[in-house]
Amino acid sequence: MRRALLIVGACSLLSACEPVAIALLGAGASTAFRYNMDGVAARTFTAAAADVKSASLGALERMGLTLDSTTPTETSEVIVARAPNREIELELEPITKQATRLRVTAKGASIFYDNATAQELVQQTGKILDAAALAKANATPTAAAGASLSPN
């Protein structure tokens, strides 16, 4: 943001840069407005839908959010959770057997959405999935090594 202000300030000294300064100011304002209005974070995980759902529910619990409902639809599953002054909607959409899209919408108490909470839920879900994958990877070589060490 400082860089944009410096550019605007420098360009305001030159009359030819006026359109650039106006464009930069407009772009910054629209970004801030969009950030507060859409409140949506999404990510596709390389994991089965059941695994992403389990991790999402764990993320809700980790963040202290209350599960309200789960509703299957034709192509996805919608999970609704609540916190004081927040309503969170998670949509789990299987893309393939091993790829699932998670879309999180967090609506605040006012007309604005809470993009930070939506992003944090996606990040927490990813951390839980990563931890589960790491635990599974660590367990698999141990079992294989134990099987190869046992006498036949």
Side-chain angles (χ1 to χ4, degrees), residues 120-144:
E120 183 64 15
L121 267 166
V122 171
Q123 289 176 353
Q124 290 298 320
T125 300
K127 287 179 182 180
I128 291 170
L129 283 169
D130 289 345
L134 184 61
K136 184 177 179 181
N138 286 337
T140 303
T142 305

Side-chain angles (χ1 to χ4, degrees), residues 18-31:
E18 188 175 323
V20 173
I22 292 170
L24 287 173
L25 285 173
S30 67
T31 300

Side-chain angles (χ1 to χ4, degrees), residues 1 3-5 7-9 11-12 14-32:
M1 187 67 180
R3 189 181 307 181
L5 290 176
I7 293 171
V8 169
C11 285
S12 66
L14 304 170
S15 63
C17 288
E18 188 175 323
V20 173
I22 292 170
L24 287 173
L25 285 173
S30 67
T31 300

Side-chain angles (χ1 to χ4, degrees), residues 69-129:
S69 66
T70 58
T71 308
T73 67
E74 285 184 34
T75 58
S76 64
E77 182 171 8
V78 177
I79 299 170
V80 177
R82 297 196 189 285
N85 301 319
R86 297 283 185 276
E87 180 177 315
I88 317 294
E89 183 178 287
L90 296 85
E91 181 183 9
L92 298 161
E93 178 187 6
I95 296 171
T96 66
K97 289 181 180 180
Q98 290 301 318
T100 305
R101 181 174 181 260
L102 172 63
R103 182 176 184 267
V104 179
T105 306
K107 186 172 187 322
S110 64
I111 62 168
F112 294 110
Y113 286 79
D114 182 356
N115 198 39
T117 300
Q119 289 178 348
E120 183 64 15
L121 267 166
V122 171
Q123 289 176 353
Q124 290 298 320
T125 300
K127 287 179 182 180
I128 291 170
L129 283 169

